[in-house]
Amino acid sequence: MAAAKKHILVLGAGISGLQTSLSLLRRGYRVTIIASHTPGDFSPSYTSPWAGGHWRSHAGTSPSDSALRSYDSGTYKAWTQMLNAAYTTRDAKGRAESAVMGIRYKSICFNPPKYLDYLFKKVQELGVKVIKISVDTASGLSGVVRSVKVVLGKNGLDEVFAMVNCTGLAARHFLENDEAKSLFPIRGQTILVKGEAEMTRTLVGIPDAPESEMLYVVPRPGTGTTILGGCKQVGNWSEEVDKELNERIVARMKRFGLCDELRGQGGDFEVLSYQVGFRPGRTGGPRVEVEDKGKIDGIWVVHNYGHSGAGYQNSIGCAEEVLRLLEPLSIN
Ligand SMILES: Cc1cc2nc3c(=O)[nH]c(=O)nc-3n(C[C@H](O)[C@H](O)[C@H](O)COP(=O)(O)OP(=O)(O)OC[C@H]3O[C@@H](n4cnc5c(N)ncnc54)[C@H](O)[C@@H]3O)c2cc1C
């Protein structure tokens, strides 16, 4: 196989970097990860631990969404196979008051920090070398490639033939102007409550609410907890928890009865924590492609970032696309 034993650097250890690494390792590549944050860390600059944790595709039916559909469905198929042994389904029932239409589908819910830990352990078992360091981004993409080479050298590792850029929102610090401008935060705020909801439920288009606010309920299997959300606030970098938004989420959950099974005797939820995270938004959708400048300092760069609110549900599909893009490059 052409890929066998070729060395690849993955920059980033969020869901995109970890899944890409796992898929590369399984295909026979040698992989080194460089990342400033790894599973177990919690930081506003590290989106992955803050995710809600369900599969709900945002891809539409238009031809321009065909890549999104294939990334999401690739992940759905892989997860469904993975879960086969312990697969349980529950019938959706009811429809929120005043809802004009509803869609029922089999979703998959997961606990993001736990899933990151699982992937991190898996890639290390398969021999990945992890270097926890922040790469200098002041001199653009070519500066990043040079810095990466220096880090590899200092760690006694041989040169890589390609680097996969999985830096999420941080890619805006080193990519060229127009590309950097296309990246923006989509702020999310969630409430972790006690009890596991029967199933995931979403309500969009809430009467009297801004379009940036919606409701979603995501049980975290096996933890006795559930995530309640939320919002999608484009361009908002505020790390502060918005208390009024929390109140609106709770009031709407009660009003529309989205997870009444979690309410205690007094009718309230038992709140465990509040979270804020920044989805890596990108105009035009995720970027999964080979850098169009060709090799930089002798290294191919493949991008895999800009996954907005879909980084988990498209992770395996995107990693498969990275493999497909690398295949012809690894022959040369
Ligand atoms: C509230 C909320 C709910 C969400 N719910 C869902 C959901 O239910 N389902 C779903 O699919 N998605 C969901 N998402 C979206 C998902 O979380 C993101 O799309 C995903 O986490 C992005 O992952 P990433 O690996 O691309 O980026 P990140 O997780 O941000 O990882 C970036 C990595 O790059 C590293 N890095 C960056 N710069 C450097 C540097 N200079 N040097 C070294 N390392 C660097 C970082 O340290 C980190 O390791 C949600 C997001 C939020 C905020």
Side-chain angles (χ1 to χ4, degrees), residues 12-16 35-37 46-48 50-54 133-135 137 166-168 170 216 277-280 307-313:
I15 180 61
S16 312
S36 31
H37 304 92
Y46 184 33
T47 304
S48 294
W50 306 112
H54 64 163
I133 194 170
S134 187
V135 168
T137 55
C166 300
T167 53
Y216 55 85
F278 302 97
R279 301 172 182 90
H307 298 296
S308 186
Y312 283 84
Q313 69 194 18

PDB file of all heavy atoms in Angstrom, residues 12-16 35-37 46-48 50-54 133-135 137 166-168 170 216 277-280 307-313, ligand 1:
ATOM      1  N   GLY A  12      -3.484  19.695  15.824  1.00  0.00           N
ATOM      2  CA  GLY A  12      -4.769  19.832  16.515  1.00  0.00           C
ATOM      3  C   GLY A  12      -5.232  18.502  17.075  1.00  0.00           C
ATOM      4  O   GLY A  12      -5.056  17.458  16.439  1.00  0.00           O
ATOM      5  N   ALA A  13      -5.808  18.560  18.283  1.00  0.00           N
ATOM      6  CA  ALA A  13      -6.289  17.333  18.936  1.00  0.00           C
ATOM      7  C   ALA A  13      -7.708  17.514  19.451  1.00  0.00           C
ATOM      8  O   ALA A  13      -8.070  17.049  20.526  1.00  0.00           O
ATOM      9  CB  ALA A  13      -5.348  16.929  20.069  1.00  0.00           C
ATOM     10  N   GLY A  14      -8.523  18.229  18.655  1.00  0.00           N
ATOM     11  CA  GLY A  14      -9.957  18.242  18.912  1.00  0.00           C
ATOM     12  C   GLY A  14     -10.546  17.028  18.209  1.00  0.00           C
ATOM     13  O   GLY A  14      -9.814  16.121  17.783  1.00  0.00           O
ATOM     14  N   ILE A  15     -11.864  17.031  18.045  1.00  0.00           N
ATOM     15  CA  ILE A  15     -12.486  15.883  17.385  1.00  0.00           C
ATOM     16  C   ILE A  15     -11.926  15.694  15.969  1.00  0.00           C
ATOM     17  O   ILE A  15     -11.677  14.559  15.539  1.00  0.00           O
ATOM     18  CB  ILE A  15     -14.040  16.010  17.376  1.00  0.00           C
ATOM     19  CG1 ILE A  15     -14.683  14.818  16.696  1.00  0.00           C
ATOM     20  CG2 ILE A  15     -14.524  17.298  16.731  1.00  0.00           C
ATOM     21  CD1 ILE A  15     -14.413  13.496  17.338  1.00  0.00           C
ATOM     22  N   SER A  16     -11.665  16.812  15.250  1.00  0.00           N
ATOM     23  CA  SER A  16     -11.185  16.674  13.861  1.00  0.00           C
ATOM     24  C   SER A  16      -9.795  16.051  13.826  1.00  0.00           C
ATOM     25  O   SER A  16      -9.530  15.140  13.031  1.00  0.00           O
ATOM     26  CB  SER A  16     -11.149  18.035  13.160  1.00  0.00           C
ATOM     27  OG  SER A  16     -12.353  18.719  13.351  1.00  0.00           O
ATOM     28  N   ALA A  35      -0.345  19.654  19.344  1.00  0.00           N
ATOM     29  CA  ALA A  35      -1.541  20.411  19.744  1.00  0.00           C
ATOM     30  C   ALA A  35      -1.278  21.164  21.034  1.00  0.00           C
ATOM     31  O   ALA A  35      -0.569  20.667  21.914  1.00  0.00           O
ATOM     32  CB  ALA A  35      -2.720  19.466  19.941  1.00  0.00           C
ATOM     33  N   SER A  36      -1.867  22.351  21.133  1.00  0.00           N
ATOM     34  CA  SER A  36      -1.738  23.071  22.405  1.00  0.00           C
ATOM     35  C   SER A  36      -2.746  22.570  23.434  1.00  0.00           C
ATOM     36  O   SER A  36      -2.526  22.710  24.628  1.00  0.00           O
ATOM     37  CB  SER A  36      -1.845  24.588  22.211  1.00  0.00           C
ATOM     38  OG  SER A  36      -2.660  24.936  21.146  1.00  0.00           O
ATOM     39  N   HIS A  37      -3.881  22.021  22.972  1.00  0.00           N
ATOM     40  CA  HIS A  37      -4.864  21.449  23.908  1.00  0.00           C
ATOM     41  C   HIS A  37      -5.119  20.000  23.527  1.00  0.00           C
ATOM     42  O   HIS A  37      -5.209  19.673  22.340  1.00  0.00           O
ATOM     43  CB  HIS A  37      -6.191  22.201  23.842  1.00  0.00           C
ATOM     44  CG  HIS A  37      -6.055  23.667  24.094  1.00  0.00           C
ATOM     45  ND1 HIS A  37      -5.864  24.572  23.082  1.00  0.00           N
ATOM     46  CD2 HIS A  37      -6.063  24.377  25.243  1.00  0.00           C
ATOM     47  CE1 HIS A  37      -5.761  25.789  23.591  1.00  0.00           C
ATOM     48  NE2 HIS A  37      -5.872  25.700  24.905  1.00  0.00           N
ATOM     49  N   TYR A  46     -10.582  25.832  22.715  1.00  0.00           N
ATOM     50  CA  TYR A  46     -10.634  24.397  22.376  1.00  0.00           C
ATOM     51  C   TYR A  46     -12.116  24.024  22.379  1.00  0.00           C
ATOM     52  O   TYR A  46     -12.716  23.781  23.428  1.00  0.00           O
ATOM     53  CB  TYR A  46      -9.850  23.645  23.451  1.00  0.00           C
ATOM     54  CG  TYR A  46      -9.673  22.152  23.288  1.00  0.00           C
ATOM     55  CD1 TYR A  46      -9.551  21.544  22.046  1.00  0.00           C
ATOM     56  CD2 TYR A  46      -9.583  21.339  24.425  1.00  0.00           C
ATOM     57  CE1 TYR A  46      -9.354  20.173  21.944  1.00  0.00           C
ATOM     58  CE2 TYR A  46      -9.376  19.973  24.334  1.00  0.00           C
ATOM     59  CZ  TYR A  46      -9.262  19.395  23.088  1.00  0.00           C
ATOM     60  OH  TYR A  46      -9.056  18.037  22.993  1.00  0.00           O
ATOM     61  N   THR A  47     -12.714  23.974  21.183  1.00  0.00           N
ATOM     62  CA  THR A  47     -14.174  23.844  21.087  1.00  0.00           C
ATOM     63  C   THR A  47     -14.695  22.475  21.518  1.00  0.00           C
ATOM     64  O   THR A  47     -15.754  22.368  22.147  1.00  0.00           O
ATOM     65  CB  THR A  47     -14.625  24.084  19.619  1.00  0.00           C
ATOM     66  OG1 THR A  47     -14.159  25.361  19.202  1.00  0.00           O
ATOM     67  CG2 THR A  47     -16.127  24.027  19.482  1.00  0.00           C
ATOM     68  N   SER A  48     -13.955  21.431  21.163  1.00  0.00           N
ATOM     69  CA  SER A  48     -14.544  20.084  21.205  1.00  0.00           C
ATOM     70  C   SER A  48     -15.177  19.654  22.534  1.00  0.00           C
ATOM     71  O   SER A  48     -16.242  19.038  22.522  1.00  0.00           O
ATOM     72  CB  SER A  48     -13.508  19.062  20.733  1.00  0.00           C
ATOM     73  OG  SER A  48     -13.232  19.287  19.366  1.00  0.00           O
ATOM     74  N   TRP A  50     -16.877  21.233  24.560  1.00  0.00           N
ATOM     75  CA  TRP A  50     -18.098  21.979  24.899  1.00  0.00           C
ATOM     76  C   TRP A  50     -19.307  21.546  24.084  1.00  0.00           C
ATOM     77  O   TRP A  50     -20.414  22.081  24.269  1.00  0.00           O
ATOM     78  CB  TRP A  50     -17.866  23.488  24.682  1.00  0.00           C
ATOM     79  CG  TRP A  50     -16.673  23.995  25.407  1.00  0.00           C
ATOM     80  CD1 TRP A  50     -15.508  24.449  24.853  1.00  0.00           C
ATOM     81  CD2 TRP A  50     -16.493  24.087  26.830  1.00  0.00           C
ATOM     82  NE1 TRP A  50     -14.623  24.815  25.841  1.00  0.00           N
ATOM     83  CE2 TRP A  50     -15.204  24.601  27.058  1.00  0.00           C
ATOM     84  CE3 TRP A  50     -17.296  23.777  27.934  1.00  0.00           C
ATOM     85  CZ2 TRP A  50     -14.690  24.814  28.338  1.00  0.00           C
ATOM     86  CZ3 TRP A  50     -16.790  23.987  29.211  1.00  0.00           C
ATOM     87  CH2 TRP A  50     -15.510  24.499  29.398  1.00  0.00           C
ATOM     88  N   ALA A  51     -19.131  20.622  23.173  1.00  0.00           N
ATOM     89  CA  ALA A  51     -20.246  20.237  22.288  1.00  0.00           C
ATOM     90  C   ALA A  51     -21.388  19.619  23.080  1.00  0.00           C
ATOM     91  O   ALA A  51     -21.194  19.081  24.175  1.00  0.00           O
ATOM     92  CB  ALA A  51     -19.751  19.261  21.233  1.00  0.00           C
ATOM     93  N   GLY A  52     -22.590  19.692  22.485  1.00  0.00           N
ATOM     94  CA  GLY A  52     -23.764  19.071  23.104  1.00  0.00           C
ATOM     95  C   GLY A  52     -23.624  17.561  23.047  1.00  0.00           C
ATOM     96  O   GLY A  52     -23.602  16.876  24.061  1.00  0.00           O
ATOM     97  N   GLY A  53     -23.514  17.056  21.819  1.00  0.00           N
ATOM     98  CA  GLY A  53     -23.234  15.639  21.652  1.00  0.00           C
ATOM     99  C   GLY A  53     -24.330  14.821  21.005  1.00  0.00           C
ATOM    100  O   GLY A  53     -24.681  13.750  21.490  1.00  0.00           O
ATOM    101  N   HIS A  54     -24.858  15.290  19.884  1.00  0.00           N
ATOM    102  CA  HIS A  54     -25.799  14.439  19.149  1.00  0.00           C
ATOM    103  C   HIS A  54     -25.575  14.591  17.645  1.00  0.00           C
ATOM    104  O   HIS A  54     -24.928  15.531  17.190  1.00  0.00           O
ATOM    105  CB  HIS A  54     -27.262  14.729  19.504  1.00  0.00           C
ATOM    106  CG  HIS A  54     -27.748  16.094  19.133  1.00  0.00           C
ATOM    107  ND1 HIS A  54     -29.075  16.417  19.050  1.00  0.00           N
ATOM    108  CD2 HIS A  54     -27.078  17.231  18.830  1.00  0.00           C
ATOM    109  CE1 HIS A  54     -29.212  17.682  18.720  1.00  0.00           C
ATOM    110  NE2 HIS A  54     -28.024  18.204  18.579  1.00  0.00           N
ATOM    111  N   ILE A 133       2.290  21.350  22.482  1.00  0.00           N
ATOM    112  CA  ILE A 133       2.985  22.628  22.355  1.00  0.00           C
ATOM    113  C   ILE A 133       2.159  23.526  21.435  1.00  0.00           C
ATOM    114  O   ILE A 133       1.444  23.035  20.562  1.00  0.00           O
ATOM    115  CB  ILE A 133       4.411  22.401  21.775  1.00  0.00           C
ATOM    116  CG1 ILE A 133       5.272  23.632  21.943  1.00  0.00           C
ATOM    117  CG2 ILE A 133       4.384  21.981  20.337  1.00  0.00           C
ATOM    118  CD1 ILE A 133       6.745  23.376  21.619  1.00  0.00           C
ATOM    119  N   SER A 134       2.258  24.831  21.642  1.00  0.00           N
ATOM    120  CA  SER A 134       1.563  25.761  20.763  1.00  0.00           C
ATOM    121  C   SER A 134       2.524  26.198  19.665  1.00  0.00           C
ATOM    122  O   SER A 134       3.605  26.717  19.947  1.00  0.00           O
ATOM    123  CB  SER A 134       1.094  26.960  21.590  1.00  0.00           C
ATOM    124  OG  SER A 134       0.294  27.767  20.802  1.00  0.00           O
ATOM    125  N   VAL A 135       2.137  25.969  18.428  1.00  0.00           N
ATOM    126  CA  VAL A 135       2.999  26.320  17.297  1.00  0.00           C
ATOM    127  C   VAL A 135       2.840  27.811  17.000  1.00  0.00           C
ATOM    128  O   VAL A 135       1.722  28.336  17.000  1.00  0.00           O
ATOM    129  CB  VAL A 135       2.604  25.462  16.068  1.00  0.00           C
ATOM    130  CG1 VAL A 135       3.255  25.982  14.804  1.00  0.00           C
ATOM    131  CG2 VAL A 135       2.970  24.016  16.299  1.00  0.00           C
ATOM    132  N   THR A 137       2.189  31.076  15.197  1.00  0.00           N
ATOM    133  CA  THR A 137       1.358  31.333  14.012  1.00  0.00           C
ATOM    134  C   THR A 137       1.621  32.721  13.410  1.00  0.00           C
ATOM    135  O   THR A 137       0.935  33.135  12.478  1.00  0.00           O
ATOM    136  CB  THR A 137      -0.140  31.244  14.383  1.00  0.00           C
ATOM    137  OG1 THR A 137      -0.399  32.143  15.465  1.00  0.00           O
ATOM    138  CG2 THR A 137      -0.538  29.842  14.778  1.00  0.00           C
ATOM    139  N   CYS A 166      -5.905  20.755  11.496  1.00  0.00           N
ATOM    140  CA  CYS A 166      -7.176  20.547  12.213  1.00  0.00           C
ATOM    141  C   CYS A 166      -7.257  21.523  13.380  1.00  0.00           C
ATOM    142  O   CYS A 166      -7.517  21.126  14.524  1.00  0.00           O
ATOM    143  CB  CYS A 166      -7.260  19.117  12.745  1.00  0.00           C
ATOM    144  SG  CYS A 166      -7.171  17.842  11.486  1.00  0.00           S
ATOM    145  N   THR A 167      -7.013  22.797  13.108  1.00  0.00           N
ATOM    146  CA  THR A 167      -6.897  23.775  14.199  1.00  0.00           C
ATOM    147  C   THR A 167      -8.191  24.530  14.483  1.00  0.00           C
ATOM    148  O   THR A 167      -8.192  25.471  15.287  1.00  0.00           O
ATOM    149  CB  THR A 167      -5.777  24.791  13.899  1.00  0.00           C
ATOM    150  OG1 THR A 167      -6.020  25.358  12.612  1.00  0.00           O
ATOM    151  CG2 THR A 167      -4.411  24.135  13.911  1.00  0.00           C
ATOM    152  N   GLY A 168      -9.286  24.157  13.855  1.00  0.00           N
ATOM    153  CA  GLY A 168     -10.568  24.801  14.157  1.00  0.00           C
ATOM    154  C   GLY A 168     -10.507  26.306  13.934  1.00  0.00           C
ATOM    155  O   GLY A 168      -9.928  26.798  12.952  1.00  0.00           O
ATOM    156  N   ALA A 170      -8.755  28.486  15.296  1.00  0.00           N
ATOM    157  CA  ALA A 170      -7.409  29.066  15.368  1.00  0.00           C
ATOM    158  C   ALA A 170      -6.754  29.174  13.993  1.00  0.00           C
ATOM    159  O   ALA A 170      -5.759  29.885  13.837  1.00  0.00           O
ATOM    160  CB  ALA A 170      -6.529  28.232  16.299  1.00  0.00           C
ATOM    161  N   TYR A 216     -32.577  22.500  22.431  1.00  0.00           N
ATOM    162  CA  TYR A 216     -32.199  21.108  22.186  1.00  0.00           C
ATOM    163  C   TYR A 216     -31.905  20.400  23.501  1.00  0.00           C
ATOM    164  O   TYR A 216     -31.458  21.008  24.464  1.00  0.00           O
ATOM    165  CB  TYR A 216     -31.047  20.962  21.182  1.00  0.00           C
ATOM    166  CG  TYR A 216     -29.779  21.716  21.489  1.00  0.00           C
ATOM    167  CD1 TYR A 216     -28.810  21.189  22.334  1.00  0.00           C
ATOM    168  CD2 TYR A 216     -29.534  22.951  20.898  1.00  0.00           C
ATOM    169  CE1 TYR A 216     -27.633  21.873  22.588  1.00  0.00           C
ATOM    170  CE2 TYR A 216     -28.363  23.649  21.153  1.00  0.00           C
ATOM    171  CZ  TYR A 216     -27.415  23.104  21.999  1.00  0.00           C
ATOM    172  OH  TYR A 216     -26.260  23.787  22.257  1.00  0.00           O
ATOM    173  N   GLY A 277     -19.277  27.722  24.642  1.00  0.00           N
ATOM    174  CA  GLY A 277     -18.273  27.254  23.676  1.00  0.00           C
ATOM    175  C   GLY A 277     -18.454  27.971  22.348  1.00  0.00           C
ATOM    176  O   GLY A 277     -19.505  28.574  22.092  1.00  0.00           O
ATOM    177  N   PHE A 278     -17.419  27.909  21.505  1.00  0.00           N
ATOM    178  CA  PHE A 278     -17.444  28.642  20.232  1.00  0.00           C
ATOM    179  C   PHE A 278     -17.315  27.680  19.058  1.00  0.00           C
ATOM    180  O   PHE A 278     -16.247  27.090  18.842  1.00  0.00           O
ATOM    181  CB  PHE A 278     -16.319  29.683  20.206  1.00  0.00           C
ATOM    182  CG  PHE A 278     -16.434  30.655  21.350  1.00  0.00           C
ATOM    183  CD1 PHE A 278     -15.691  30.481  22.512  1.00  0.00           C
ATOM    184  CD2 PHE A 278     -17.342  31.701  21.291  1.00  0.00           C
ATOM    185  CE1 PHE A 278     -15.833  31.346  23.587  1.00  0.00           C
ATOM    186  CE2 PHE A 278     -17.496  32.576  22.360  1.00  0.00           C
ATOM    187  CZ  PHE A 278     -16.740  32.395  23.514  1.00  0.00           C
ATOM    188  N   ARG A 279     -18.409  27.514  18.329  1.00  0.00           N
ATOM    189  CA  ARG A 279     -18.366  26.641  17.143  1.00  0.00           C
ATOM    190  C   ARG A 279     -17.508  27.310  16.072  1.00  0.00           C
ATOM    191  O   ARG A 279     -17.632  28.523  15.858  1.00  0.00           O
ATOM    192  CB  ARG A 279     -19.780  26.419  16.590  1.00  0.00           C
ATOM    193  CG  ARG A 279     -20.755  25.794  17.581  1.00  0.00           C
ATOM    194  CD  ARG A 279     -22.162  25.799  16.990  1.00  0.00           C
ATOM    195  NE  ARG A 279     -23.165  25.252  17.900  1.00  0.00           N
ATOM    196  CZ  ARG A 279     -23.848  25.975  18.786  1.00  0.00           C
ATOM    197  NH1 ARG A 279     -23.632  27.273  18.899  1.00  0.00           N
ATOM    198  NH2 ARG A 279     -24.757  25.399  19.558  1.00  0.00           N
ATOM    199  N   PRO A 280     -16.677  26.536  15.391  1.00  0.00           N
ATOM    200  CA  PRO A 280     -15.818  27.137  14.356  1.00  0.00           C
ATOM    201  C   PRO A 280     -16.572  27.358  13.046  1.00  0.00           C
ATOM    202  O   PRO A 280     -16.560  26.518  12.148  1.00  0.00           O
ATOM    203  CB  PRO A 280     -14.689  26.109  14.197  1.00  0.00           C
ATOM    204  CG  PRO A 280     -15.293  24.811  14.642  1.00  0.00           C
ATOM    205  CD  PRO A 280     -16.413  25.104  15.590  1.00  0.00           C
ATOM    206  N   HIS A 307     -15.754  23.419  10.956  1.00  0.00           N
ATOM    207  CA  HIS A 307     -16.875  22.472  11.005  1.00  0.00           C
ATOM    208  C   HIS A 307     -18.110  22.984  11.729  1.00  0.00           C
ATOM    209  O   HIS A 307     -19.070  22.229  11.931  1.00  0.00           O
ATOM    210  CB  HIS A 307     -16.402  21.149  11.613  1.00  0.00           C
ATOM    211  CG  HIS A 307     -15.340  20.504  10.790  1.00  0.00           C
ATOM    212  ND1 HIS A 307     -15.585  20.064   9.515  1.00  0.00           N
ATOM    213  CD2 HIS A 307     -14.023  20.284  11.019  1.00  0.00           C
ATOM    214  CE1 HIS A 307     -14.464  19.576   8.999  1.00  0.00           C
ATOM    215  NE2 HIS A 307     -13.498  19.705   9.895  1.00  0.00           N
ATOM    216  N   SER A 308     -18.046  24.223  12.181  1.00  0.00           N
ATOM    217  CA  SER A 308     -19.238  24.848  12.759  1.00  0.00           C
ATOM    218  C   SER A 308     -19.873  23.950  13.834  1.00  0.00           C
ATOM    219  O   SER A 308     -19.161  23.428  14.692  1.00  0.00           O
ATOM    220  CB  SER A 308     -20.206  25.165  11.616  1.00  0.00           C
ATOM    221  OG  SER A 308     -21.292  25.883  12.101  1.00  0.00           O
ATOM    222  N   GLY A 309     -21.184  23.732  13.759  1.00  0.00           N
ATOM    223  CA  GLY A 309     -21.864  22.931  14.785  1.00  0.00           C
ATOM    224  C   GLY A 309     -21.937  21.463  14.432  1.00  0.00           C
ATOM    225  O   GLY A 309     -22.809  20.737  14.923  1.00  0.00           O
ATOM    226  N   ALA A 310     -21.009  20.992  13.592  1.00  0.00           N
ATOM    227  CA  ALA A 310     -21.134  19.624  13.078  1.00  0.00           C
ATOM    228  C   ALA A 310     -19.846  18.812  13.177  1.00  0.00           C
ATOM    229  O   ALA A 310     -19.731  17.759  12.563  1.00  0.00           O
ATOM    230  CB  ALA A 310     -21.586  19.682  11.619  1.00  0.00           C
ATOM    231  N   GLY A 311     -18.884  19.288  13.956  1.00  0.00           N
ATOM    232  CA  GLY A 311     -17.560  18.660  13.958  1.00  0.00           C
ATOM    233  C   GLY A 311     -17.534  17.201  14.375  1.00  0.00           C
ATOM    234  O   GLY A 311     -16.664  16.442  13.936  1.00  0.00           O
ATOM    235  N   TYR A 312     -18.472  16.793  15.223  1.00  0.00           N
ATOM    236  CA  TYR A 312     -18.530  15.379  15.607  1.00  0.00           C
ATOM    237  C   TYR A 312     -19.277  14.585  14.546  1.00  0.00           C
ATOM    238  O   TYR A 312     -18.810  13.551  14.080  1.00  0.00           O
ATOM    239  CB  TYR A 312     -19.236  15.217  16.963  1.00  0.00           C
ATOM    240  CG  TYR A 312     -18.358  15.580  18.132  1.00  0.00           C
ATOM    241  CD1 TYR A 312     -18.233  16.900  18.543  1.00  0.00           C
ATOM    242  CD2 TYR A 312     -17.639  14.613  18.812  1.00  0.00           C
ATOM    243  CE1 TYR A 312     -17.419  17.246  19.611  1.00  0.00           C
ATOM    244  CE2 TYR A 312     -16.819  14.938  19.887  1.00  0.00           C
ATOM    245  CZ  TYR A 312     -16.719  16.261  20.281  1.00  0.00           C
ATOM    246  OH  TYR A 312     -15.901  16.588  21.330  1.00  0.00           O
ATOM    247  N   GLN A 313     -20.456  15.101  14.189  1.00  0.00           N
ATOM    248  CA  GLN A 313     -21.304  14.301  13.302  1.00  0.00           C
ATOM    249  C   GLN A 313     -20.714  14.176  11.900  1.00  0.00           C
ATOM    250  O   GLN A 313     -21.136  13.324  11.129  1.00  0.00           O
ATOM    251  CB  GLN A 313     -22.715  14.869  13.251  1.00  0.00           C
ATOM    252  CG  GLN A 313     -22.839  16.201  12.561  1.00  0.00           C
ATOM    253  CD  GLN A 313     -24.184  16.863  12.841  1.00  0.00           C
ATOM    254  OE1 GLN A 313     -24.879  16.497  13.778  1.00  0.00           O
ATOM    255  NE2 GLN A 313     -24.552  17.821  12.022  1.00  0.00           N
TER     256      GLN A 313
HETATM  257  C1  LIG B   1     -22.418  24.432  22.420  1.00  0.00           C
HETATM  258  C2  LIG B   1     -21.929  23.553  21.292  1.00  0.00           C
HETATM  259  C3  LIG B   1     -22.675  22.431  20.932  1.00  0.00           C
HETATM  260  C4  LIG B   1     -22.229  21.601  19.889  1.00  0.00           C
HETATM  261  N1  LIG B   1     -22.924  20.459  19.622  1.00  0.00           N
HETATM  262  C5  LIG B   1     -22.498  19.628  18.637  1.00  0.00           C
HETATM  263  C6  LIG B   1     -23.181  18.416  18.379  1.00  0.00           C
HETATM  264  O1  LIG B   1     -24.131  18.062  19.065  1.00  0.00           O
HETATM  265  N2  LIG B   1     -22.735  17.628  17.348  1.00  0.00           N
HETATM  266  C7  LIG B   1     -21.660  17.994  16.574  1.00  0.00           C
HETATM  267  O2  LIG B   1     -21.323  17.270  15.636  1.00  0.00           O
HETATM  268  N3  LIG B   1     -20.972  19.131  16.830  1.00  0.00           N
HETATM  269  C8  LIG B   1     -21.368  19.962  17.838  1.00  0.00           C
HETATM  270  N4  LIG B   1     -20.678  21.120  18.091  1.00  0.00           N
HETATM  271  C9  LIG B   1     -19.589  21.511  17.185  1.00  0.00           C
HETATM  272  C10 LIG B   1     -18.276  20.812  17.501  1.00  0.00           C
HETATM  273  O3  LIG B   1     -18.022  20.893  18.875  1.00  0.00           O
HETATM  274  C11 LIG B   1     -17.135  21.483  16.707  1.00  0.00           C
HETATM  275  O4  LIG B   1     -17.444  21.496  15.331  1.00  0.00           O
HETATM  276  C12 LIG B   1     -15.833  20.705  16.896  1.00  0.00           C
HETATM  277  O5  LIG B   1     -15.559  20.542  18.264  1.00  0.00           O
HETATM  278  C13 LIG B   1     -14.641  21.391  16.233  1.00  0.00           C
HETATM  279  O6  LIG B   1     -13.534  20.566  16.488  1.00  0.00           O
HETATM  280  P1  LIG B   1     -12.090  20.856  15.898  1.00  0.00           P
HETATM  281  O7  LIG B   1     -11.273  19.672  16.229  1.00  0.00           O
HETATM  282  O8  LIG B   1     -12.212  21.249  14.466  1.00  0.00           O
HETATM  283  O9  LIG B   1     -11.579  22.158  16.704  1.00  0.00           O
HETATM  284  P2  LIG B   1     -11.098  22.273  18.235  1.00  0.00           P
HETATM  285  O10 LIG B   1     -11.834  21.352  19.116  1.00  0.00           O
HETATM  286  O11 LIG B   1     -11.146  23.724  18.586  1.00  0.00           O
HETATM  287  O12 LIG B   1      -9.591  21.791  18.216  1.00  0.00           O
HETATM  288  C14 LIG B   1      -8.564  22.585  17.672  1.00  0.00           C
HETATM  289  C15 LIG B   1      -7.231  21.956  18.027  1.00  0.00           C
HETATM  290  O13 LIG B   1      -6.188  22.690  17.382  1.00  0.00           O
HETATM  291  C16 LIG B   1      -5.195  23.001  18.339  1.00  0.00           C
HETATM  292  N5  LIG B   1      -4.476  24.205  17.929  1.00  0.00           N
HETATM  293  C17 LIG B   1      -4.992  25.365  17.468  1.00  0.00           C
HETATM  294  N6  LIG B   1      -4.000  26.241  17.211  1.00  0.00           N
HETATM  295  C18 LIG B   1      -2.840  25.613  17.510  1.00  0.00           C
HETATM  296  C19 LIG B   1      -1.468  25.996  17.465  1.00  0.00           C
HETATM  297  N7  LIG B   1      -1.075  27.208  17.048  1.00  0.00           N
HETATM  298  N8  LIG B   1      -0.529  25.102  17.861  1.00  0.00           N
HETATM  299  C20 LIG B   1      -0.888  23.867  18.284  1.00  0.00           C
HETATM  300  N9  LIG B   1      -2.188  23.459  18.344  1.00  0.00           N
HETATM  301  C21 LIG B   1      -3.140  24.319  17.963  1.00  0.00           C
HETATM  302  C22 LIG B   1      -5.974  23.177  19.636  1.00  0.00           C
HETATM  303  O14 LIG B   1      -5.110  23.103  20.759  1.00  0.00           O
HETATM  304  C23 LIG B   1      -6.923  21.993  19.528  1.00  0.00           C
HETATM  305  O15 LIG B   1      -6.252  20.818  19.921  1.00  0.00           O
HETATM  306  C24 LIG B   1     -21.055  21.944  19.158  1.00  0.00           C
HETATM  307  C25 LIG B   1     -20.294  23.056  19.544  1.00  0.00           C
HETATM  308  C26 LIG B   1     -20.718  23.851  20.602  1.00  0.00           C
HETATM  309  C27 LIG B   1     -19.870  25.020  21.016  1.00  0.00           C
END
